[in-house]
Amino acid sequence: MNASKTPSRPVLGVTCCTRRMGTELGQAVINRYVAAAMQWGDVAALLVPALPELMSAREVAPRLDGVLLTGSPSNVEPGRYGEAEAPDAEGPYDPARDAMSFALIEAMLDLGKP
């Protein structure tokens, strides 16, 4: 697929994770998720950073045609689904990813977008 032949493909937002990269934090997503969506879904992909303190899901959702919620090494914090964190709970957690993903889900549903 040659992207230059299809200038107006739908834009798919892909949620990122917060990852430690050396001494700093970075935004990351596994390449195979993005590549598969672009190749098989024939979409243009934009990474949505897990930085809800700097960007709201409501401001980015209208610019997207759909959203892809990727897999991640982090698990959703138990408090997000009404459970108390157990001492043996499976981490790691990424609260910023959870916040952006849940807000983006709500914003996209409100707009009637996938």
Side-chain angles (χ1 to χ4, degrees), residues 17-59:
C17 298
T18 305
R19 290 283 170 262
R20 182 148 304 279
M21 297 178 182
T23 60
E24 296 192 47
L25 294 178
Q27 298 298 299
V29 64
I30 296 173
N31 225 24
R32 68 184 151 102
Y33 296 130
V34 180
M38 293 175 75
Q39 180 180 6
W40 301 108
D42 194 22
V43 297
L46 291 177
L47 302 184
V48 179
L51 297 169
E53 70 281 7
L54 298 175
M55 178 180 79
S56 78
R58 295 254 174 227
E59 72 181 301

PDB file of all heavy atoms in Angstrom, residues 17-59:
ATOM      1  N   CYS A  17       1.353   4.149  25.908  1.00  0.00           N
ATOM      2  CA  CYS A  17       1.681   3.824  27.293  1.00  0.00           C
ATOM      3  C   CYS A  17       2.807   4.739  27.755  1.00  0.00           C
ATOM      4  O   CYS A  17       3.594   5.219  26.948  1.00  0.00           O
ATOM      5  CB  CYS A  17       2.188   2.390  27.405  1.00  0.00           C
ATOM      6  SG  CYS A  17       0.996   1.155  26.917  1.00  0.00           S
ATOM      7  N   THR A  18       2.891   4.935  29.044  1.00  0.00           N
ATOM      8  CA  THR A  18       4.016   5.652  29.623  1.00  0.00           C
ATOM      9  C   THR A  18       5.075   4.609  29.960  1.00  0.00           C
ATOM     10  O   THR A  18       4.792   3.649  30.673  1.00  0.00           O
ATOM     11  CB  THR A  18       3.587   6.400  30.897  1.00  0.00           C
ATOM     12  OG1 THR A  18       2.481   7.239  30.567  1.00  0.00           O
ATOM     13  CG2 THR A  18       4.719   7.232  31.453  1.00  0.00           C
ATOM     14  N   ARG A  19       6.282   4.797  29.439  1.00  0.00           N
ATOM     15  CA  ARG A  19       7.373   3.853  29.668  1.00  0.00           C
ATOM     16  C   ARG A  19       8.629   4.588  30.097  1.00  0.00           C
ATOM     17  O   ARG A  19       8.907   5.687  29.616  1.00  0.00           O
ATOM     18  CB  ARG A  19       7.709   3.074  28.383  1.00  0.00           C
ATOM     19  CG  ARG A  19       6.653   2.111  27.987  1.00  0.00           C
ATOM     20  CD  ARG A  19       6.717   0.873  28.869  1.00  0.00           C
ATOM     21  NE  ARG A  19       5.571   0.052  28.658  1.00  0.00           N
ATOM     22  CZ  ARG A  19       4.495   0.037  29.430  1.00  0.00           C
ATOM     23  NH1 ARG A  19       4.400   0.808  30.473  1.00  0.00           N
ATOM     24  NH2 ARG A  19       3.489  -0.759  29.166  1.00  0.00           N
ATOM     25  N   ARG A  20       9.379   3.957  30.966  1.00  0.00           N
ATOM     26  CA  ARG A  20      10.678   4.502  31.364  1.00  0.00           C
ATOM     27  C   ARG A  20      11.660   4.204  30.248  1.00  0.00           C
ATOM     28  O   ARG A  20      11.779   3.083  29.788  1.00  0.00           O
ATOM     29  CB  ARG A  20      11.162   3.886  32.677  1.00  0.00           C
ATOM     30  CG  ARG A  20      12.475   4.493  33.109  1.00  0.00           C
ATOM     31  CD  ARG A  20      12.667   4.577  34.598  1.00  0.00           C
ATOM     32  NE  ARG A  20      11.672   5.282  35.361  1.00  0.00           N
ATOM     33  CZ  ARG A  20      11.609   6.621  35.505  1.00  0.00           C
ATOM     34  NH1 ARG A  20      12.461   7.394  34.902  1.00  0.00           N
ATOM     35  NH2 ARG A  20      10.675   7.155  36.261  1.00  0.00           N
ATOM     36  N   MET A  21      12.343   5.237  29.799  1.00  0.00           N
ATOM     37  CA  MET A  21      13.364   5.128  28.752  1.00  0.00           C
ATOM     38  C   MET A  21      14.639   5.742  29.308  1.00  0.00           C
ATOM     39  O   MET A  21      14.809   6.956  29.253  1.00  0.00           O
ATOM     40  CB  MET A  21      12.902   5.836  27.488  1.00  0.00           C
ATOM     41  CG  MET A  21      11.661   5.227  26.885  1.00  0.00           C
ATOM     42  SD  MET A  21      11.107   6.108  25.430  1.00  0.00           S
ATOM     43  CE  MET A  21       9.635   5.191  25.024  1.00  0.00           C
ATOM     44  N   GLY A  22      15.457   4.898  29.885  1.00  0.00           N
ATOM     45  CA  GLY A  22      16.641   5.409  30.571  1.00  0.00           C
ATOM     46  C   GLY A  22      16.211   6.121  31.834  1.00  0.00           C
ATOM     47  O   GLY A  22      15.523   5.552  32.681  1.00  0.00           O
ATOM     48  N   THR A  23      16.547   7.389  31.940  1.00  0.00           N
ATOM     49  CA  THR A  23      16.198   8.170  33.127  1.00  0.00           C
ATOM     50  C   THR A  23      14.933   9.001  32.943  1.00  0.00           C
ATOM     51  O   THR A  23      14.530   9.715  33.853  1.00  0.00           O
ATOM     52  CB  THR A  23      17.358   9.113  33.509  1.00  0.00           C
ATOM     53  OG1 THR A  23      17.610  10.003  32.408  1.00  0.00           O
ATOM     54  CG2 THR A  23      18.616   8.325  33.839  1.00  0.00           C
ATOM     55  N   GLU A  24      14.324   8.922  31.765  1.00  0.00           N
ATOM     56  CA  GLU A  24      13.141   9.735  31.484  1.00  0.00           C
ATOM     57  C   GLU A  24      11.947   8.862  31.147  1.00  0.00           C
ATOM     58  O   GLU A  24      12.082   7.694  30.824  1.00  0.00           O
ATOM     59  CB  GLU A  24      13.431  10.677  30.316  1.00  0.00           C
ATOM     60  CG  GLU A  24      14.514  11.690  30.637  1.00  0.00           C
ATOM     61  CD  GLU A  24      14.578  12.769  29.593  1.00  0.00           C
ATOM     62  OE1 GLU A  24      13.502  13.301  29.233  1.00  0.00           O
ATOM     63  OE2 GLU A  24      15.689  13.084  29.157  1.00  0.00           O
ATOM     64  N   LEU A  25      10.756   9.481  31.188  1.00  0.00           N
ATOM     65  CA  LEU A  25       9.533   8.803  30.767  1.00  0.00           C
ATOM     66  C   LEU A  25       9.264   9.153  29.316  1.00  0.00           C
ATOM     67  O   LEU A  25       9.554  10.264  28.868  1.00  0.00           O
ATOM     68  CB  LEU A  25       8.348   9.234  31.634  1.00  0.00           C
ATOM     69  CG  LEU A  25       8.415   8.831  33.104  1.00  0.00           C
ATOM     70  CD1 LEU A  25       7.198   9.366  33.850  1.00  0.00           C
ATOM     71  CD2 LEU A  25       8.512   7.324  33.257  1.00  0.00           C
ATOM     72  N   GLY A  26       8.717   8.193  28.574  1.00  0.00           N
ATOM     73  CA  GLY A  26       8.373   8.415  27.179  1.00  0.00           C
ATOM     74  C   GLY A  26       7.021   7.813  26.868  1.00  0.00           C
ATOM     75  O   GLY A  26       6.436   7.091  27.682  1.00  0.00           O
ATOM     76  N   GLN A  27       6.536   8.106  25.680  1.00  0.00           N
ATOM     77  CA  GLN A  27       5.274   7.563  25.194  1.00  0.00           C
ATOM     78  C   GLN A  27       5.600   6.455  24.213  1.00  0.00           C
ATOM     79  O   GLN A  27       6.444   6.632  23.325  1.00  0.00           O
ATOM     80  CB  GLN A  27       4.443   8.648  24.515  1.00  0.00           C
ATOM     81  CG  GLN A  27       4.059   9.786  25.441  1.00  0.00           C
ATOM     82  CD  GLN A  27       3.201   9.292  26.590  1.00  0.00           C
ATOM     83  OE1 GLN A  27       2.122   8.758  26.389  1.00  0.00           O
ATOM     84  NE2 GLN A  27       3.678   9.464  27.802  1.00  0.00           N
ATOM     85  N   ALA A  28       4.939   5.315  24.347  1.00  0.00           N
ATOM     86  CA  ALA A  28       5.280   4.169  23.511  1.00  0.00           C
ATOM     87  C   ALA A  28       4.047   3.365  23.135  1.00  0.00           C
ATOM     88  O   ALA A  28       3.050   3.356  23.856  1.00  0.00           O
ATOM     89  CB  ALA A  28       6.265   3.268  24.252  1.00  0.00           C
ATOM     90  N   VAL A  29       4.154   2.693  22.007  1.00  0.00           N
ATOM     91  CA  VAL A  29       3.149   1.731  21.563  1.00  0.00           C
ATOM     92  C   VAL A  29       3.904   0.666  20.770  1.00  0.00           C
ATOM     93  O   VAL A  29       4.895   0.961  20.113  1.00  0.00           O
ATOM     94  CB  VAL A  29       2.040   2.404  20.726  1.00  0.00           C
ATOM     95  CG1 VAL A  29       2.552   2.984  19.439  1.00  0.00           C
ATOM     96  CG2 VAL A  29       0.892   1.464  20.460  1.00  0.00           C
ATOM     97  N   ILE A  30       3.462  -0.560  20.870  1.00  0.00           N
ATOM     98  CA  ILE A  30       4.119  -1.643  20.161  1.00  0.00           C
ATOM     99  C   ILE A  30       3.853  -1.487  18.664  1.00  0.00           C
ATOM    100  O   ILE A  30       2.711  -1.316  18.231  1.00  0.00           O
ATOM    101  CB  ILE A  30       3.648  -3.006  20.699  1.00  0.00           C
ATOM    102  CG1 ILE A  30       4.088  -3.144  22.168  1.00  0.00           C
ATOM    103  CG2 ILE A  30       4.193  -4.156  19.858  1.00  0.00           C
ATOM    104  CD1 ILE A  30       3.559  -4.353  22.879  1.00  0.00           C
ATOM    105  N   ASN A  31       4.923  -1.550  17.897  1.00  0.00           N
ATOM    106  CA  ASN A  31       4.866  -1.299  16.461  1.00  0.00           C
ATOM    107  C   ASN A  31       3.859  -2.180  15.733  1.00  0.00           C
ATOM    108  O   ASN A  31       3.171  -1.709  14.833  1.00  0.00           O
ATOM    109  CB  ASN A  31       6.255  -1.513  15.867  1.00  0.00           C
ATOM    110  CG  ASN A  31       6.652  -0.429  14.909  1.00  0.00           C
ATOM    111  OD1 ASN A  31       6.150   0.678  14.977  1.00  0.00           O
ATOM    112  ND2 ASN A  31       7.564  -0.766  14.031  1.00  0.00           N
ATOM    113  N   ARG A  32       3.750  -3.450  16.112  1.00  0.00           N
ATOM    114  CA  ARG A  32       2.864  -4.352  15.358  1.00  0.00           C
ATOM    115  C   ARG A  32       1.405  -3.917  15.413  1.00  0.00           C
ATOM    116  O   ARG A  32       0.643  -4.166  14.481  1.00  0.00           O
ATOM    117  CB  ARG A  32       3.043  -5.797  15.796  1.00  0.00           C
ATOM    118  CG  ARG A  32       2.586  -6.114  17.181  1.00  0.00           C
ATOM    119  CD  ARG A  32       2.914  -7.588  17.525  1.00  0.00           C
ATOM    120  NE  ARG A  32       3.122  -7.730  18.938  1.00  0.00           N
ATOM    121  CZ  ARG A  32       2.227  -8.233  19.766  1.00  0.00           C
ATOM    122  NH1 ARG A  32       1.068  -8.645  19.314  1.00  0.00           N
ATOM    123  NH2 ARG A  32       2.496  -8.323  21.040  1.00  0.00           N
ATOM    124  N   TYR A  33       0.979  -3.270  16.518  1.00  0.00           N
ATOM    125  CA  TYR A  33      -0.401  -2.786  16.593  1.00  0.00           C
ATOM    126  C   TYR A  33      -0.638  -1.678  15.564  1.00  0.00           C
ATOM    127  O   TYR A  33      -1.639  -1.682  14.851  1.00  0.00           O
ATOM    128  CB  TYR A  33      -0.724  -2.244  17.988  1.00  0.00           C
ATOM    129  CG  TYR A  33      -0.674  -3.270  19.086  1.00  0.00           C
ATOM    130  CD1 TYR A  33       0.043  -3.018  20.248  1.00  0.00           C
ATOM    131  CD2 TYR A  33      -1.340  -4.483  18.985  1.00  0.00           C
ATOM    132  CE1 TYR A  33       0.089  -3.950  21.279  1.00  0.00           C
ATOM    133  CE2 TYR A  33      -1.306  -5.413  20.007  1.00  0.00           C
ATOM    134  CZ  TYR A  33      -0.583  -5.144  21.153  1.00  0.00           C
ATOM    135  OH  TYR A  33      -0.539  -6.058  22.170  1.00  0.00           O
ATOM    136  N   VAL A  34       0.276  -0.745  15.504  1.00  0.00           N
ATOM    137  CA  VAL A  34       0.134   0.380  14.580  1.00  0.00           C
ATOM    138  C   VAL A  34       0.249  -0.099  13.135  1.00  0.00           C
ATOM    139  O   VAL A  34      -0.570   0.256  12.288  1.00  0.00           O
ATOM    140  CB  VAL A  34       1.190   1.469  14.880  1.00  0.00           C
ATOM    141  CG1 VAL A  34       1.039   2.640  13.928  1.00  0.00           C
ATOM    142  CG2 VAL A  34       1.098   1.940  16.316  1.00  0.00           C
ATOM    143  N   ALA A  35       1.260  -0.916  12.861  1.00  0.00           N
ATOM    144  CA  ALA A  35       1.479  -1.403  11.492  1.00  0.00           C
ATOM    145  C   ALA A  35       0.297  -2.226  10.992  1.00  0.00           C
ATOM    146  O   ALA A  35      -0.136  -2.073   9.842  1.00  0.00           O
ATOM    147  CB  ALA A  35       2.772  -2.213  11.431  1.00  0.00           C
ATOM    148  N   ALA A  36      -0.245  -3.101  11.828  1.00  0.00           N
ATOM    149  CA  ALA A  36      -1.375  -3.930  11.414  1.00  0.00           C
ATOM    150  C   ALA A  36      -2.600  -3.069  11.106  1.00  0.00           C
ATOM    151  O   ALA A  36      -3.284  -3.292  10.097  1.00  0.00           O
ATOM    152  CB  ALA A  36      -1.706  -4.961  12.492  1.00  0.00           C
ATOM    153  N   ALA A  37      -2.874  -2.109  11.952  1.00  0.00           N
ATOM    154  CA  ALA A  37      -4.035  -1.235  11.717  1.00  0.00           C
ATOM    155  C   ALA A  37      -3.873  -0.455  10.420  1.00  0.00           C
ATOM    156  O   ALA A  37      -4.818  -0.341   9.628  1.00  0.00           O
ATOM    157  CB  ALA A  37      -4.217  -0.277  12.891  1.00  0.00           C
ATOM    158  N   MET A  38      -2.674   0.060  10.201  1.00  0.00           N
ATOM    159  CA  MET A  38      -2.437   0.852   8.991  1.00  0.00           C
ATOM    160  C   MET A  38      -2.503  -0.007   7.736  1.00  0.00           C
ATOM    161  O   MET A  38      -3.080   0.397   6.731  1.00  0.00           O
ATOM    162  CB  MET A  38      -1.098   1.573   9.101  1.00  0.00           C
ATOM    163  CG  MET A  38      -1.091   2.638  10.190  1.00  0.00           C
ATOM    164  SD  MET A  38       0.526   3.397  10.421  1.00  0.00           S
ATOM    165  CE  MET A  38       0.589   4.440   8.965  1.00  0.00           C
ATOM    166  N   GLN A  39      -1.904  -1.182   7.814  1.00  0.00           N
ATOM    167  CA  GLN A  39      -1.864  -2.057   6.647  1.00  0.00           C
ATOM    168  C   GLN A  39      -3.229  -2.669   6.340  1.00  0.00           C
ATOM    169  O   GLN A  39      -3.717  -2.596   5.223  1.00  0.00           O
ATOM    170  CB  GLN A  39      -0.846  -3.163   6.853  1.00  0.00           C
ATOM    171  CG  GLN A  39      -0.740  -4.111   5.671  1.00  0.00           C
ATOM    172  CD  GLN A  39       0.279  -5.209   5.881  1.00  0.00           C
ATOM    173  OE1 GLN A  39       0.850  -5.353   6.948  1.00  0.00           O
ATOM    174  NE2 GLN A  39       0.515  -5.992   4.843  1.00  0.00           N
ATOM    175  N   TRP A  40      -3.856  -3.286   7.331  1.00  0.00           N
ATOM    176  CA  TRP A  40      -5.081  -4.033   7.088  1.00  0.00           C
ATOM    177  C   TRP A  40      -6.332  -3.171   7.187  1.00  0.00           C
ATOM    178  O   TRP A  40      -7.367  -3.505   6.604  1.00  0.00           O
ATOM    179  CB  TRP A  40      -5.173  -5.224   8.034  1.00  0.00           C
ATOM    180  CG  TRP A  40      -3.988  -6.130   7.852  1.00  0.00           C
ATOM    181  CD1 TRP A  40      -2.946  -6.294   8.718  1.00  0.00           C
ATOM    182  CD2 TRP A  40      -3.689  -6.935   6.718  1.00  0.00           C
ATOM    183  NE1 TRP A  40      -2.019  -7.158   8.201  1.00  0.00           N
ATOM    184  CE2 TRP A  40      -2.458  -7.578   6.952  1.00  0.00           C
ATOM    185  CE3 TRP A  40      -4.348  -7.184   5.512  1.00  0.00           C
ATOM    186  CZ2 TRP A  40      -1.865  -8.448   6.051  1.00  0.00           C
ATOM    187  CZ3 TRP A  40      -3.755  -8.069   4.604  1.00  0.00           C
ATOM    188  CH2 TRP A  40      -2.540  -8.684   4.883  1.00  0.00           C
ATOM    189  N   GLY A  41      -6.259  -2.082   7.936  1.00  0.00           N
ATOM    190  CA  GLY A  41      -7.402  -1.190   8.047  1.00  0.00           C
ATOM    191  C   GLY A  41      -7.340  -0.028   7.080  1.00  0.00           C
ATOM    192  O   GLY A  41      -8.282   0.739   6.959  1.00  0.00           O
ATOM    193  N   ASP A  42      -6.216   0.099   6.383  1.00  0.00           N
ATOM    194  CA  ASP A  42      -5.990   1.198   5.435  1.00  0.00           C
ATOM    195  C   ASP A  42      -6.322   2.549   6.061  1.00  0.00           C
ATOM    196  O   ASP A  42      -7.139   3.310   5.563  1.00  0.00           O
ATOM    197  CB  ASP A  42      -6.783   0.979   4.150  1.00  0.00           C
ATOM    198  CG  ASP A  42      -6.309   1.919   3.035  1.00  0.00           C
ATOM    199  OD1 ASP A  42      -5.158   2.408   3.093  1.00  0.00           O
ATOM    200  OD2 ASP A  42      -7.109   2.183   2.109  1.00  0.00           O
ATOM    201  N   VAL A  43      -5.708   2.798   7.215  1.00  0.00           N
ATOM    202  CA  VAL A  43      -5.908   4.051   7.938  1.00  0.00           C
ATOM    203  C   VAL A  43      -4.577   4.760   8.130  1.00  0.00           C
ATOM    204  O   VAL A  43      -3.517   4.155   8.049  1.00  0.00           O
ATOM    205  CB  VAL A  43      -6.542   3.811   9.329  1.00  0.00           C
ATOM    206  CG1 VAL A  43      -7.918   3.195   9.204  1.00  0.00           C
ATOM    207  CG2 VAL A  43      -5.643   2.954  10.207  1.00  0.00           C
ATOM    208  N   ALA A  44      -4.655   6.036   8.384  1.00  0.00           N
ATOM    209  CA  ALA A  44      -3.503   6.802   8.857  1.00  0.00           C
ATOM    210  C   ALA A  44      -3.576   6.750  10.382  1.00  0.00           C
ATOM    211  O   ALA A  44      -4.655   6.886  10.952  1.00  0.00           O
ATOM    212  CB  ALA A  44      -3.572   8.237   8.361  1.00  0.00           C
ATOM    213  N   ALA A  45      -2.462   6.509  11.030  1.00  0.00           N
ATOM    214  CA  ALA A  45      -2.476   6.377  12.491  1.00  0.00           C
ATOM    215  C   ALA A  45      -1.794   7.559  13.151  1.00  0.00           C
ATOM    216  O   ALA A  45      -0.760   8.039  12.681  1.00  0.00           O
ATOM    217  CB  ALA A  45      -1.779   5.084  12.905  1.00  0.00           C
ATOM    218  N   LEU A  46      -2.384   8.019  14.238  1.00  0.00           N
ATOM    219  CA  LEU A  46      -1.785   9.055  15.082  1.00  0.00           C
ATOM    220  C   LEU A  46      -1.722   8.525  16.501  1.00  0.00           C
ATOM    221  O   LEU A  46      -2.698   7.973  17.004  1.00  0.00           O
ATOM    222  CB  LEU A  46      -2.620  10.338  15.062  1.00  0.00           C
ATOM    223  CG  LEU A  46      -2.628  11.108  13.755  1.00  0.00           C
ATOM    224  CD1 LEU A  46      -3.561  12.313  13.859  1.00  0.00           C
ATOM    225  CD2 LEU A  46      -1.225  11.581  13.390  1.00  0.00           C
ATOM    226  N   LEU A  47      -0.568   8.684  17.131  1.00  0.00           N
ATOM    227  CA  LEU A  47      -0.413   8.225  18.502  1.00  0.00           C
ATOM    228  C   LEU A  47      -1.020   9.243  19.451  1.00  0.00           C
ATOM    229  O   LEU A  47      -0.768  10.442  19.332  1.00  0.00           O
ATOM    230  CB  LEU A  47       1.065   8.002  18.825  1.00  0.00           C
ATOM    231  CG  LEU A  47       1.793   7.009  17.919  1.00  0.00           C
ATOM    232  CD1 LEU A  47       3.217   6.801  18.403  1.00  0.00           C
ATOM    233  CD2 LEU A  47       1.053   5.692  17.821  1.00  0.00           C
ATOM    234  N   VAL A  48      -1.811   8.757  20.384  1.00  0.00           N
ATOM    235  CA  VAL A  48      -2.437   9.609  21.393  1.00  0.00           C
ATOM    236  C   VAL A  48      -1.653   9.411  22.694  1.00  0.00           C
ATOM    237  O   VAL A  48      -1.706   8.338  23.297  1.00  0.00           O
ATOM    238  CB  VAL A  48      -3.926   9.245  21.605  1.00  0.00           C
ATOM    239  CG1 VAL A  48      -4.541  10.128  22.684  1.00  0.00           C
ATOM    240  CG2 VAL A  48      -4.697   9.373  20.295  1.00  0.00           C
ATOM    241  N   PRO A  49      -0.913  10.428  23.127  1.00  0.00           N
ATOM    242  CA  PRO A  49      -0.083  10.266  24.319  1.00  0.00           C
ATOM    243  C   PRO A  49      -0.909  10.124  25.591  1.00  0.00           C
ATOM    244  O   PRO A  49      -2.007  10.672  25.706  1.00  0.00           O
ATOM    245  CB  PRO A  49       0.750  11.546  24.354  1.00  0.00           C
ATOM    246  CG  PRO A  49      -0.020  12.542  23.561  1.00  0.00           C
ATOM    247  CD  PRO A  49      -0.807  11.761  22.547  1.00  0.00           C
ATOM    248  N   ALA A  50      -0.346   9.395  26.537  1.00  0.00           N
ATOM    249  CA  ALA A  50      -0.967   9.228  27.853  1.00  0.00           C
ATOM    250  C   ALA A  50      -0.545  10.400  28.727  1.00  0.00           C
ATOM    251  O   ALA A  50       0.162  10.250  29.715  1.00  0.00           O
ATOM    252  CB  ALA A  50      -0.534   7.898  28.469  1.00  0.00           C
ATOM    253  N   LEU A  51      -0.983  11.572  28.327  1.00  0.00           N
ATOM    254  CA  LEU A  51      -0.665  12.813  29.039  1.00  0.00           C
ATOM    255  C   LEU A  51      -1.951  13.605  29.279  1.00  0.00           C
ATOM    256  O   LEU A  51      -2.122  14.716  28.775  1.00  0.00           O
ATOM    257  CB  LEU A  51       0.345  13.649  28.232  1.00  0.00           C
ATOM    258  CG  LEU A  51       1.719  13.013  28.014  1.00  0.00           C
ATOM    259  CD1 LEU A  51       2.529  13.793  26.987  1.00  0.00           C
ATOM    260  CD2 LEU A  51       2.462  12.906  29.328  1.00  0.00           C
ATOM    261  N   PRO A  52      -2.881  13.047  30.054  1.00  0.00           N
ATOM    262  CA  PRO A  52      -4.171  13.715  30.227  1.00  0.00           C
ATOM    263  C   PRO A  52      -4.078  15.064  30.920  1.00  0.00           C
ATOM    264  O   PRO A  52      -4.996  15.873  30.807  1.00  0.00           O
ATOM    265  CB  PRO A  52      -4.981  12.714  31.055  1.00  0.00           C
ATOM    266  CG  PRO A  52      -3.954  11.910  31.777  1.00  0.00           C
ATOM    267  CD  PRO A  52      -2.783  11.823  30.835  1.00  0.00           C
ATOM    268  N   GLU A  53      -2.985  15.326  31.601  1.00  0.00           N
ATOM    269  CA  GLU A  53      -2.808  16.638  32.231  1.00  0.00           C
ATOM    270  C   GLU A  53      -2.446  17.714  31.208  1.00  0.00           C
ATOM    271  O   GLU A  53      -2.538  18.912  31.502  1.00  0.00           O
ATOM    272  CB  GLU A  53      -1.753  16.570  33.350  1.00  0.00           C
ATOM    273  CG  GLU A  53      -0.325  16.378  32.883  1.00  0.00           C
ATOM    274  CD  GLU A  53       0.051  14.943  32.502  1.00  0.00           C
ATOM    275  OE1 GLU A  53      -0.814  14.047  32.466  1.00  0.00           O
ATOM    276  OE2 GLU A  53       1.240  14.731  32.226  1.00  0.00           O
ATOM    277  N   LEU A  54      -2.067  17.317  29.987  1.00  0.00           N
ATOM    278  CA  LEU A  54      -1.671  18.274  28.955  1.00  0.00           C
ATOM    279  C   LEU A  54      -2.616  18.307  27.757  1.00  0.00           C
ATOM    280  O   LEU A  54      -2.580  19.244  26.962  1.00  0.00           O
ATOM    281  CB  LEU A  54      -0.253  17.954  28.448  1.00  0.00           C
ATOM    282  CG  LEU A  54       0.850  18.035  29.494  1.00  0.00           C
ATOM    283  CD1 LEU A  54       2.176  17.580  28.907  1.00  0.00           C
ATOM    284  CD2 LEU A  54       0.964  19.453  30.040  1.00  0.00           C
ATOM    285  N   MET A  55      -3.439  17.265  27.599  1.00  0.00           N
ATOM    286  CA  MET A  55      -4.343  17.184  26.452  1.00  0.00           C
ATOM    287  C   MET A  55      -5.573  16.397  26.872  1.00  0.00           C
ATOM    288  O   MET A  55      -5.455  15.326  27.455  1.00  0.00           O
ATOM    289  CB  MET A  55      -3.647  16.472  25.287  1.00  0.00           C
ATOM    290  CG  MET A  55      -4.519  16.290  24.071  1.00  0.00           C
ATOM    291  SD  MET A  55      -3.658  15.450  22.715  1.00  0.00           S
ATOM    292  CE  MET A  55      -3.750  13.753  23.281  1.00  0.00           C
ATOM    293  N   SER A  56      -6.732  16.909  26.557  1.00  0.00           N
ATOM    294  CA  SER A  56      -7.948  16.180  26.917  1.00  0.00           C
ATOM    295  C   SER A  56      -8.408  15.301  25.760  1.00  0.00           C
ATOM    296  O   SER A  56      -8.200  15.619  24.587  1.00  0.00           O
ATOM    297  CB  SER A  56      -9.065  17.147  27.312  1.00  0.00           C
ATOM    298  OG  SER A  56      -9.646  17.724  26.155  1.00  0.00           O
ATOM    299  N   ALA A  57      -9.035  14.205  26.104  1.00  0.00           N
ATOM    300  CA  ALA A  57      -9.599  13.317  25.097  1.00  0.00           C
ATOM    301  C   ALA A  57     -10.690  14.038  24.307  1.00  0.00           C
ATOM    302  O   ALA A  57     -10.841  13.824  23.107  1.00  0.00           O
ATOM    303  CB  ALA A  57     -10.166  12.071  25.771  1.00  0.00           C
ATOM    304  N   ARG A  58     -11.431  14.911  24.972  1.00  0.00           N
ATOM    305  CA  ARG A  58     -12.523  15.633  24.298  1.00  0.00           C
ATOM    306  C   ARG A  58     -12.025  16.570  23.205  1.00  0.00           C
ATOM    307  O   ARG A  58     -12.729  16.832  22.242  1.00  0.00           O
ATOM    308  CB  ARG A  58     -13.338  16.428  25.320  1.00  0.00           C
ATOM    309  CG  ARG A  58     -14.055  15.527  26.290  1.00  0.00           C
ATOM    310  CD  ARG A  58     -15.518  15.465  26.017  1.00  0.00           C
ATOM    311  NE  ARG A  58     -16.137  14.471  26.886  1.00  0.00           N
ATOM    312  CZ  ARG A  58     -16.976  13.568  26.448  1.00  0.00           C
ATOM    313  NH1 ARG A  58     -17.322  13.533  25.197  1.00  0.00           N
ATOM    314  NH2 ARG A  58     -17.497  12.690  27.269  1.00  0.00           N
ATOM    315  N   GLU A  59     -10.789  17.073  23.342  1.00  0.00           N
ATOM    316  CA  GLU A  59     -10.285  17.960  22.303  1.00  0.00           C
ATOM    317  C   GLU A  59      -9.707  17.198  21.109  1.00  0.00           C
ATOM    318  O   GLU A  59      -9.696  17.701  20.000  1.00  0.00           O
ATOM    319  CB  GLU A  59      -9.240  18.938  22.845  1.00  0.00           C
ATOM    320  CG  GLU A  59      -7.902  18.336  23.183  1.00  0.00           C
ATOM    321  CD  GLU A  59      -6.908  19.346  23.727  1.00  0.00           C
ATOM    322  OE1 GLU A  59      -6.595  20.317  23.028  1.00  0.00           O
ATOM    323  OE2 GLU A  59      -6.464  19.146  24.875  1.00  0.00           O
TER     324      GLU A  59
END
